[in-house]
Amino acid sequence: QVQLVESGGGLVQAGGSLRLSCAASGRTFSSYVMGWFRQAPGKEREFVAAITGNGGIKYYADSVKGRFTISRDNTKNTVYLQMNSLKPEDTAVYYCAARLGLALRAPRSYDYWGQGTQVTVSS
């Protein structure tokens, strides 16, 4: 069982930056692929980024590539999402998620989810 708690969301102007954090419980954090997803009102949850257990491979949605960076610190059981050059269309609730096995983009592939943190980007 893995419990995930996100933090770091907030209100920011377009062009600004935020760093999201996701703290995980458990002693096997490095075994899990970690993903970030987001869901805007009236839209389906979508993939943002994922990182393998040792941090060696990272994946990004085209919409955030070059602006967002996913990273992890396995000594702190934490995964991060650095978001730069934010746009109003980045406004959403951001969720972190965990799964064993391959790094996948489909939300249904992830077994554990946090409660989400709101990110609002004003124009």
Side-chain angles (χ1 to χ4, degrees), residues 14-60:
S17 298
L18 282 174
R19 188 175 83 153
L20 305 183
S21 299
C22 173
S25 65
R27 293 175 289 180
T28 59
F29 177 69
S30 60
S31 300
Y32 287 86
V33 167
M34 299 300 297
W36 283 99
F37 296 80
R38 66 187 182 186
Q39 188 166 17
K43 295 188 176 182
E44 293 186 351
R45 192 168 297 188
E46 65 174 2
F47 170 79
V48 175
I51 187 168
T52 54
N54 64 3
I57 303 176
K58 304 174 184 181
Y59 303 89
Y60 298 96

mmCIF file of all heavy atoms in Angstrom, residues 14-60:
data_model
loop_
_atom_site.group_PDB
_atom_site.id
_atom_site.type_symbol
_atom_site.label_atom_id
_atom_site.label_comp_id
_atom_site.label_asym_id
_atom_site.label_seq_id
_atom_site.Cartn_x
_atom_site.Cartn_y
_atom_site.Cartn_z
ATOM 1 N N ALA A 14 0.400 33.959 -15.534
ATOM 2 C CA ALA A 14 0.962 33.346 -16.741
ATOM 3 C C ALA A 14 2.438 33.730 -16.874
ATOM 4 O O ALA A 14 2.807 34.881 -16.637
ATOM 5 C CB ALA A 14 0.181 33.790 -17.965
ATOM 6 N N GLY A 15 3.242 32.743 -17.227
ATOM 7 C CA GLY A 15 4.678 32.944 -17.326
ATOM 8 C C GLY A 15 5.426 32.615 -16.050
ATOM 9 O O GLY A 15 6.664 32.538 -16.060
ATOM 10 N N GLY A 16 4.692 32.413 -14.969
ATOM 11 C CA GLY A 16 5.301 32.112 -13.686
ATOM 12 C C GLY A 16 5.643 30.642 -13.531
ATOM 13 O O GLY A 16 5.502 29.843 -14.463
ATOM 14 N N SER A 17 6.107 30.306 -12.313
ATOM 15 C CA SER A 17 6.555 28.947 -12.025
ATOM 16 C C SER A 17 5.955 28.452 -10.717
ATOM 17 O O SER A 17 5.639 29.241 -9.814
ATOM 18 C CB SER A 17 8.085 28.907 -11.903
ATOM 19 O OG SER A 17 8.705 29.290 -13.109
ATOM 20 N N LEU A 18 5.812 27.159 -10.629
ATOM 21 C CA LEU A 18 5.437 26.471 -9.388
ATOM 22 C C LEU A 18 6.183 25.146 -9.339
ATOM 23 O O LEU A 18 6.495 24.575 -10.393
ATOM 24 C CB LEU A 18 3.930 26.192 -9.331
ATOM 25 C CG LEU A 18 2.972 27.314 -8.979
ATOM 26 C CD1 LEU A 18 1.534 26.825 -9.126
ATOM 27 C CD2 LEU A 18 3.216 27.830 -7.571
ATOM 28 N N ARG A 19 6.423 24.669 -8.133
ATOM 29 C CA ARG A 19 6.971 23.326 -7.968
ATOM 30 C C ARG A 19 6.023 22.515 -7.100
ATOM 31 O O ARG A 19 5.771 22.878 -5.947
ATOM 32 C CB ARG A 19 8.361 23.325 -7.348
ATOM 33 C CG ARG A 19 8.982 21.936 -7.375
ATOM 34 C CD ARG A 19 10.408 21.901 -6.887
ATOM 35 N NE ARG A 19 10.495 21.829 -5.424
ATOM 36 C CZ ARG A 19 11.519 21.288 -4.770
ATOM 37 N NH1 ARG A 19 12.535 20.783 -5.432
ATOM 38 N NH2 ARG A 19 11.528 21.276 -3.456
ATOM 39 N N LEU A 20 5.527 21.439 -7.661
ATOM 40 C CA LEU A 20 4.681 20.515 -6.929
ATOM 41 C C LEU A 20 5.534 19.417 -6.317
ATOM 42 O O LEU A 20 6.532 18.987 -6.905
ATOM 43 C CB LEU A 20 3.632 19.894 -7.846
ATOM 44 C CG LEU A 20 2.740 20.857 -8.629
ATOM 45 C CD1 LEU A 20 1.713 20.064 -9.435
ATOM 46 C CD2 LEU A 20 2.074 21.856 -7.730
ATOM 47 N N SER A 21 5.105 18.964 -5.146
ATOM 48 C CA SER A 21 5.762 17.851 -4.479
ATOM 49 C C SER A 21 4.731 16.777 -4.179
ATOM 50 O O SER A 21 3.549 17.070 -3.971
ATOM 51 C CB SER A 21 6.407 18.305 -3.164
ATOM 52 O OG SER A 21 7.388 19.287 -3.376
ATOM 53 N N CYS A 22 5.185 15.548 -4.142
ATOM 54 C CA CYS A 22 4.320 14.425 -3.793
ATOM 55 C C CYS A 22 5.124 13.522 -2.873
ATOM 56 O O CYS A 22 6.106 12.910 -3.302
ATOM 57 C CB CYS A 22 3.875 13.685 -5.039
ATOM 58 S SG CYS A 22 2.972 12.160 -4.705
ATOM 59 N N ALA A 23 4.699 13.463 -1.617
ATOM 60 C CA ALA A 23 5.369 12.638 -0.622
ATOM 61 C C ALA A 23 4.673 11.295 -0.529
ATOM 62 O O ALA A 23 3.439 11.225 -0.431
ATOM 63 C CB ALA A 23 5.357 13.332 0.724
ATOM 64 N N ALA A 24 5.471 10.239 -0.545
ATOM 65 C CA ALA A 24 4.927 8.886 -0.521
ATOM 66 C C ALA A 24 5.305 8.172 0.767
ATOM 67 O O ALA A 24 6.389 8.370 1.310
ATOM 68 C CB ALA A 24 5.457 8.100 -1.715
ATOM 69 N N SER A 25 4.384 7.332 1.224
ATOM 70 C CA SER A 25 4.674 6.480 2.370
ATOM 71 C C SER A 25 5.292 5.182 1.868
ATOM 72 O O SER A 25 5.282 4.883 0.677
ATOM 73 C CB SER A 25 3.389 6.184 3.134
ATOM 74 O OG SER A 25 2.510 5.426 2.306
ATOM 75 N N GLY A 26 5.798 4.392 2.774
ATOM 76 C CA GLY A 26 6.290 3.073 2.402
ATOM 77 C C GLY A 26 7.790 3.020 2.220
ATOM 78 O O GLY A 26 8.440 4.048 2.007
ATOM 79 N N ARG A 27 8.319 1.809 2.259
ATOM 80 C CA ARG A 27 9.764 1.621 2.196
ATOM 81 C C ARG A 27 10.250 1.185 0.831
ATOM 82 O O ARG A 27 11.434 0.963 0.649
ATOM 83 C CB ARG A 27 10.167 0.574 3.241
ATOM 84 C CG ARG A 27 9.969 1.035 4.677
ATOM 85 C CD ARG A 27 10.270 -0.081 5.644
ATOM 86 N NE ARG A 27 9.239 -1.117 5.593
ATOM 87 C CZ ARG A 27 9.260 -2.212 6.339
ATOM 88 N NH1 ARG A 27 10.268 -2.432 7.156
ATOM 89 N NH2 ARG A 27 8.293 -3.099 6.249
ATOM 90 N N THR A 28 9.344 1.062 -0.129
ATOM 91 C CA THR A 28 9.733 0.576 -1.453
ATOM 92 C C THR A 28 9.478 1.622 -2.529
ATOM 93 O O THR A 28 9.179 1.284 -3.668
ATOM 94 C CB THR A 28 8.986 -0.709 -1.781
ATOM 95 O OG1 THR A 28 7.570 -0.445 -1.747
ATOM 96 C CG2 THR A 28 9.333 -1.813 -0.809
ATOM 97 N N PHE A 29 9.616 2.888 -2.156
ATOM 98 C CA PHE A 29 9.294 3.975 -3.086
ATOM 99 C C PHE A 29 10.066 3.840 -4.383
ATOM 100 O O PHE A 29 9.529 4.083 -5.461
ATOM 101 C CB PHE A 29 9.608 5.306 -2.402
ATOM 102 C CG PHE A 29 9.382 6.509 -3.266
ATOM 103 C CD1 PHE A 29 8.094 6.887 -3.623
ATOM 104 C CD2 PHE A 29 10.443 7.281 -3.726
ATOM 105 C CE1 PHE A 29 7.869 8.002 -4.412
ATOM 106 C CE2 PHE A 29 10.238 8.394 -4.518
ATOM 107 C CZ PHE A 29 8.938 8.763 -4.856
ATOM 108 N N SER A 30 11.312 3.460 -4.311
ATOM 109 C CA SER A 30 12.139 3.400 -5.519
ATOM 110 C C SER A 30 11.701 2.304 -6.478
ATOM 111 O O SER A 30 12.154 2.254 -7.619
ATOM 112 C CB SER A 30 13.607 3.191 -5.139
ATOM 113 O OG SER A 30 13.766 1.981 -4.430
ATOM 114 N N SER A 31 10.804 1.434 -6.051
ATOM 115 C CA SER A 31 10.289 0.387 -6.929
ATOM 116 C C SER A 31 9.178 0.889 -7.842
ATOM 117 O O SER A 31 8.818 0.216 -8.814
ATOM 118 C CB SER A 31 9.741 -0.784 -6.107
ATOM 119 O OG SER A 31 10.737 -1.346 -5.299
ATOM 120 N N TYR A 32 8.631 2.041 -7.537
ATOM 121 C CA TYR A 32 7.443 2.529 -8.231
ATOM 122 C C TYR A 32 7.768 3.544 -9.314
ATOM 123 O O TYR A 32 8.568 4.467 -9.106
ATOM 124 C CB TYR A 32 6.476 3.173 -7.236
ATOM 125 C CG TYR A 32 5.777 2.174 -6.355
ATOM 126 C CD1 TYR A 32 6.362 1.720 -5.180
ATOM 127 C CD2 TYR A 32 4.531 1.675 -6.706
ATOM 128 C CE1 TYR A 32 5.731 0.797 -4.381
ATOM 129 C CE2 TYR A 32 3.882 0.753 -5.909
ATOM 130 C CZ TYR A 32 4.481 0.315 -4.747
ATOM 131 O OH TYR A 32 3.844 -0.603 -3.957
ATOM 132 N N VAL A 33 7.118 3.356 -10.438
ATOM 133 C CA VAL A 33 7.025 4.434 -11.419
ATOM 134 C C VAL A 33 6.080 5.487 -10.842
ATOM 135 O O VAL A 33 5.016 5.149 -10.312
ATOM 136 C CB VAL A 33 6.473 3.905 -12.752
ATOM 137 C CG1 VAL A 33 6.069 5.044 -13.666
ATOM 138 C CG2 VAL A 33 7.491 3.002 -13.428
ATOM 139 N N MET A 34 6.471 6.730 -10.951
ATOM 140 C CA MET A 34 5.638 7.827 -10.457
ATOM 141 C C MET A 34 5.180 8.683 -11.628
ATOM 142 O O MET A 34 5.963 8.991 -12.540
ATOM 143 C CB MET A 34 6.418 8.688 -9.463
ATOM 144 C CG MET A 34 6.876 7.933 -8.220
ATOM 145 S SD MET A 34 5.518 7.233 -7.264
ATOM 146 C CE MET A 34 4.642 8.727 -6.777
ATOM 147 N N GLY A 35 3.922 9.068 -11.576
ATOM 148 C CA GLY A 35 3.371 9.896 -12.643
ATOM 149 C C GLY A 35 2.669 11.112 -12.085
ATOM 150 O O GLY A 35 2.203 11.119 -10.951
ATOM 151 N N TRP A 36 2.612 12.141 -12.915
ATOM 152 C CA TRP A 36 1.794 13.322 -12.628
ATOM 153 C C TRP A 36 0.710 13.389 -13.700
ATOM 154 O O TRP A 36 0.993 13.222 -14.899
ATOM 155 C CB TRP A 36 2.623 14.599 -12.661
ATOM 156 C CG TRP A 36 3.468 14.816 -11.449
ATOM 157 C CD1 TRP A 36 4.797 14.544 -11.312
ATOM 158 C CD2 TRP A 36 3.054 15.363 -10.196
ATOM 159 N NE1 TRP A 36 5.236 14.885 -10.059
ATOM 160 C CE2 TRP A 36 4.179 15.399 -9.352
ATOM 161 C CE3 TRP A 36 1.837 15.841 -9.706
ATOM 162 C CZ2 TRP A 36 4.124 15.888 -8.036
ATOM 163 C CZ3 TRP A 36 1.782 16.321 -8.407
ATOM 164 C CH2 TRP A 36 2.924 16.347 -7.580
ATOM 165 N N PHE A 37 -0.490 13.669 -13.253
ATOM 166 C CA PHE A 37 -1.643 13.819 -14.120
ATOM 167 C C PHE A 37 -2.361 15.100 -13.733
ATOM 168 O O PHE A 37 -2.125 15.653 -12.659
ATOM 169 C CB PHE A 37 -2.591 12.622 -13.967
ATOM 170 C CG PHE A 37 -1.979 11.325 -14.402
ATOM 171 C CD1 PHE A 37 -1.122 10.628 -13.569
ATOM 172 C CD2 PHE A 37 -2.256 10.802 -15.661
ATOM 173 C CE1 PHE A 37 -0.538 9.436 -13.981
ATOM 174 C CE2 PHE A 37 -1.685 9.611 -16.073
ATOM 175 C CZ PHE A 37 -0.827 8.931 -15.230
ATOM 176 N N ARG A 38 -3.245 15.547 -14.599
ATOM 177 C CA ARG A 38 -4.041 16.727 -14.271
ATOM 178 C C ARG A 38 -5.439 16.593 -14.837
ATOM 179 O O ARG A 38 -5.673 15.875 -15.814
ATOM 180 C CB ARG A 38 -3.376 18.001 -14.784
ATOM 181 C CG ARG A 38 -3.301 18.118 -16.297
ATOM 182 C CD ARG A 38 -2.461 19.339 -16.683
ATOM 183 N NE ARG A 38 -2.397 19.515 -18.134
ATOM 184 C CZ ARG A 38 -1.638 20.426 -18.723
ATOM 185 N NH1 ARG A 38 -0.864 21.252 -18.014
ATOM 186 N NH2 ARG A 38 -1.634 20.523 -20.053
ATOM 187 N N GLN A 39 -6.357 17.294 -14.191
ATOM 188 C CA GLN A 39 -7.744 17.259 -14.641
ATOM 189 C C GLN A 39 -8.338 18.646 -14.500
ATOM 190 O O GLN A 39 -8.419 19.195 -13.392
ATOM 191 C CB GLN A 39 -8.561 16.244 -13.841
ATOM 192 C CG GLN A 39 -9.947 16.026 -14.380
ATOM 193 C CD GLN A 39 -10.599 14.791 -13.780
ATOM 194 O OE1 GLN A 39 -10.184 14.262 -12.750
ATOM 195 N NE2 GLN A 39 -11.626 14.307 -14.451
ATOM 196 N N ALA A 40 -8.737 19.202 -15.632
ATOM 197 C CA ALA A 40 -9.402 20.493 -15.658
ATOM 198 C C ALA A 40 -10.909 20.282 -15.579
ATOM 199 O O ALA A 40 -11.403 19.201 -15.938
ATOM 200 C CB ALA A 40 -9.027 21.248 -16.929
ATOM 201 N N PRO A 41 -11.658 21.279 -15.148
ATOM 202 C CA PRO A 41 -13.113 21.120 -15.047
ATOM 203 C C PRO A 41 -13.729 20.703 -16.378
ATOM 204 O O PRO A 41 -13.436 21.292 -17.421
ATOM 205 C CB PRO A 41 -13.584 22.516 -14.627
ATOM 206 C CG PRO A 41 -12.421 23.110 -13.927
ATOM 207 C CD PRO A 41 -11.209 22.582 -14.645
ATOM 208 N N GLY A 42 -14.551 19.670 -16.330
ATOM 209 C CA GLY A 42 -15.241 19.207 -17.518
ATOM 210 C C GLY A 42 -14.406 18.397 -18.482
ATOM 211 O O GLY A 42 -14.884 18.037 -19.555
ATOM 212 N N LYS A 43 -13.167 18.126 -18.097
ATOM 213 C CA LYS A 43 -12.281 17.370 -18.972
ATOM 214 C C LYS A 43 -11.834 16.082 -18.294
ATOM 215 O O LYS A 43 -11.908 15.940 -17.073
ATOM 216 C CB LYS A 43 -11.062 18.210 -19.351
ATOM 217 C CG LYS A 43 -11.398 19.427 -20.194
ATOM 218 C CD LYS A 43 -10.143 20.104 -20.708
ATOM 219 C CE LYS A 43 -10.475 21.261 -21.625
ATOM 220 N NZ LYS A 43 -9.252 21.910 -22.168
ATOM 221 N N GLU A 44 -11.337 15.160 -19.105
ATOM 222 C CA GLU A 44 -10.828 13.912 -18.567
ATOM 223 C C GLU A 44 -9.444 14.128 -17.957
ATOM 224 O O GLU A 44 -8.721 15.059 -18.330
ATOM 225 C CB GLU A 44 -10.746 12.850 -19.663
ATOM 226 C CG GLU A 44 -12.093 12.419 -20.193
ATOM 227 C CD GLU A 44 -11.983 11.264 -21.161
ATOM 228 O OE1 GLU A 44 -10.859 10.910 -21.549
ATOM 229 O OE2 GLU A 44 -13.029 10.706 -21.541
ATOM 230 N N ARG A 45 -9.109 13.253 -17.038
ATOM 231 C CA ARG A 45 -7.770 13.293 -16.450
ATOM 232 C C ARG A 45 -6.752 12.962 -17.536
ATOM 233 O O ARG A 45 -6.928 12.012 -18.296
ATOM 234 C CB ARG A 45 -7.677 12.316 -15.287
ATOM 235 C CG ARG A 45 -6.451 12.483 -14.426
ATOM 236 C CD ARG A 45 -6.579 11.693 -13.150
ATOM 237 N NE ARG A 45 -7.700 12.158 -12.323
ATOM 238 C CZ ARG A 45 -7.940 11.748 -11.083
ATOM 239 N NH1 ARG A 45 -7.122 10.865 -10.508
ATOM 240 N NH2 ARG A 45 -8.980 12.196 -10.426
ATOM 241 N N GLU A 46 -5.668 13.742 -17.591
ATOM 242 C CA GLU A 46 -4.683 13.535 -18.639
ATOM 243 C C GLU A 46 -3.282 13.395 -18.072
ATOM 244 O O GLU A 46 -2.950 13.956 -17.024
ATOM 245 C CB GLU A 46 -4.714 14.679 -19.655
ATOM 246 C CG GLU A 46 -4.309 16.031 -19.106
ATOM 247 C CD GLU A 46 -4.228 17.095 -20.198
ATOM 248 O OE1 GLU A 46 -4.524 16.818 -21.373
ATOM 249 O OE2 GLU A 46 -3.840 18.233 -19.852
ATOM 250 N N PHE A 47 -2.472 12.680 -18.813
ATOM 251 C CA PHE A 47 -1.074 12.442 -18.451
ATOM 252 C C PHE A 47 -0.279 13.727 -18.599
ATOM 253 O O PHE A 47 -0.449 14.472 -19.557
ATOM 254 C CB PHE A 47 -0.514 11.357 -19.366
ATOM 255 C CG PHE A 47 0.965 11.166 -19.265
ATOM 256 C CD1 PHE A 47 1.513 10.446 -18.228
ATOM 257 C CD2 PHE A 47 1.814 11.708 -20.222
ATOM 258 C CE1 PHE A 47 2.882 10.270 -18.129
ATOM 259 C CE2 PHE A 47 3.173 11.534 -20.150
ATOM 260 C CZ PHE A 47 3.718 10.806 -19.104
ATOM 261 N N VAL A 48 0.620 13.960 -17.633
ATOM 262 C CA VAL A 48 1.531 15.104 -17.700
ATOM 263 C C VAL A 48 2.978 14.627 -17.819
ATOM 264 O O VAL A 48 3.698 15.023 -18.737
ATOM 265 C CB VAL A 48 1.370 16.006 -16.460
ATOM 266 C CG1 VAL A 48 2.418 17.127 -16.472
ATOM 267 C CG2 VAL A 48 -0.041 16.583 -16.394
ATOM 268 N N ALA A 49 3.395 13.766 -16.902
ATOM 269 C CA ALA A 49 4.789 13.309 -16.896
ATOM 270 C C ALA A 49 4.903 12.041 -16.062
ATOM 271 O O ALA A 49 4.053 11.777 -15.205
ATOM 272 C CB ALA A 49 5.718 14.385 -16.333
ATOM 273 N N ALA A 50 5.950 11.268 -16.323
ATOM 274 C CA ALA A 50 6.222 10.074 -15.530
ATOM 275 C C ALA A 50 7.721 9.880 -15.432
ATOM 276 O O ALA A 50 8.483 10.345 -16.284
ATOM 277 C CB ALA A 50 5.560 8.840 -16.146
ATOM 278 N N ILE A 51 8.126 9.158 -14.387
ATOM 279 C CA ILE A 51 9.539 8.918 -14.147
ATOM 280 C C ILE A 51 9.713 7.507 -13.614
ATOM 281 O O ILE A 51 8.927 7.044 -12.780
ATOM 282 C CB ILE A 51 10.109 9.974 -13.174
ATOM 283 C CG1 ILE A 51 11.622 9.854 -13.024
ATOM 284 C CG2 ILE A 51 9.414 9.913 -11.815
ATOM 285 C CD1 ILE A 51 12.252 11.049 -12.307
ATOM 286 N N THR A 52 10.723 6.818 -14.099
ATOM 287 C CA THR A 52 10.982 5.469 -13.640
ATOM 288 C C THR A 52 11.543 5.456 -12.218
ATOM 289 O O THR A 52 11.921 6.489 -11.677
ATOM 290 C CB THR A 52 11.951 4.765 -14.593
ATOM 291 O OG1 THR A 52 13.134 5.575 -14.753
ATOM 292 C CG2 THR A 52 11.312 4.525 -15.946
ATOM 293 N N GLY A 53 11.609 4.264 -11.641
ATOM 294 C CA GLY A 53 11.963 4.136 -10.230
ATOM 295 C C GLY A 53 13.307 4.725 -9.847
ATOM 296 O O GLY A 53 13.454 5.332 -8.793
ATOM 297 N N ASN A 54 14.293 4.559 -10.722
ATOM 298 C CA ASN A 54 15.622 5.097 -10.421
ATOM 299 C C ASN A 54 15.830 6.496 -10.993
ATOM 300 O O ASN A 54 16.924 7.047 -10.905
ATOM 301 C CB ASN A 54 16.710 4.168 -10.944
ATOM 302 C CG ASN A 54 16.703 4.041 -12.457
ATOM 303 O OD1 ASN A 54 15.917 4.694 -13.147
ATOM 304 N ND2 ASN A 54 17.580 3.210 -12.985
ATOM 305 N N GLY A 55 14.779 7.048 -11.599
ATOM 306 C CA GLY A 55 14.853 8.390 -12.153
ATOM 307 C C GLY A 55 15.555 8.488 -13.478
ATOM 308 O O GLY A 55 15.749 9.579 -14.006
ATOM 309 N N GLY A 56 15.915 7.351 -14.054
ATOM 310 C CA GLY A 56 16.719 7.375 -15.254
ATOM 311 C C GLY A 56 15.977 7.720 -16.523
ATOM 312 O O GLY A 56 16.569 8.203 -17.488
ATOM 313 N N ILE A 57 14.687 7.462 -16.558
ATOM 314 C CA ILE A 57 13.895 7.722 -17.762
ATOM 315 C C ILE A 57 12.684 8.572 -17.380
ATOM 316 O O ILE A 57 12.009 8.282 -16.389
ATOM 317 C CB ILE A 57 13.435 6.410 -18.424
ATOM 318 C CG1 ILE A 57 14.647 5.542 -18.759
ATOM 319 C CG2 ILE A 57 12.655 6.719 -19.703
ATOM 320 C CD1 ILE A 57 14.285 4.180 -19.327
ATOM 321 N N LYS A 58 12.433 9.581 -18.193
ATOM 322 C CA LYS A 58 11.313 10.498 -17.956
ATOM 323 C C LYS A 58 10.491 10.621 -19.218
ATOM 324 O O LYS A 58 11.031 10.587 -20.333
ATOM 325 C CB LYS A 58 11.846 11.874 -17.529
ATOM 326 C CG LYS A 58 12.759 11.822 -16.309
ATOM 327 C CD LYS A 58 13.379 13.160 -16.013
ATOM 328 C CE LYS A 58 14.363 13.055 -14.846
ATOM 329 N NZ LYS A 58 14.973 14.368 -14.519
ATOM 330 N N TYR A 59 9.216 10.790 -19.035
ATOM 331 C CA TYR A 59 8.285 10.936 -20.151
ATOM 332 C C TYR A 59 7.446 12.188 -19.907
ATOM 333 O O TYR A 59 7.090 12.486 -18.764
ATOM 334 C CB TYR A 59 7.359 9.727 -20.259
ATOM 335 C CG TYR A 59 8.078 8.413 -20.407
ATOM 336 C CD1 TYR A 59 8.465 7.687 -19.300
ATOM 337 C CD2 TYR A 59 8.354 7.903 -21.668
ATOM 338 C CE1 TYR A 59 9.117 6.480 -19.433
ATOM 339 C CE2 TYR A 59 9.016 6.691 -21.811
ATOM 340 C CZ TYR A 59 9.390 5.984 -20.691
ATOM 341 O OH TYR A 59 10.046 4.797 -20.829
ATOM 342 N N TYR A 60 7.104 12.865 -20.988
ATOM 343 C CA TYR A 60 6.302 14.080 -20.890
ATOM 344 C C TYR A 60 5.218 14.118 -21.955
ATOM 345 O O TYR A 60 5.405 13.617 -23.069
ATOM 346 C CB TYR A 60 7.179 15.327 -21.059
ATOM 347 C CG TYR A 60 8.233 15.495 -20.005
ATOM 348 C CD1 TYR A 60 9.534 15.054 -20.202
ATOM 349 C CD2 TYR A 60 7.921 16.106 -18.790
ATOM 350 C CE1 TYR A 60 10.501 15.198 -19.224
ATOM 351 C CE2 TYR A 60 8.885 16.263 -17.801
ATOM 352 C CZ TYR A 60 10.166 15.804 -18.029
ATOM 353 O OH TYR A 60 11.123 15.962 -17.047
#
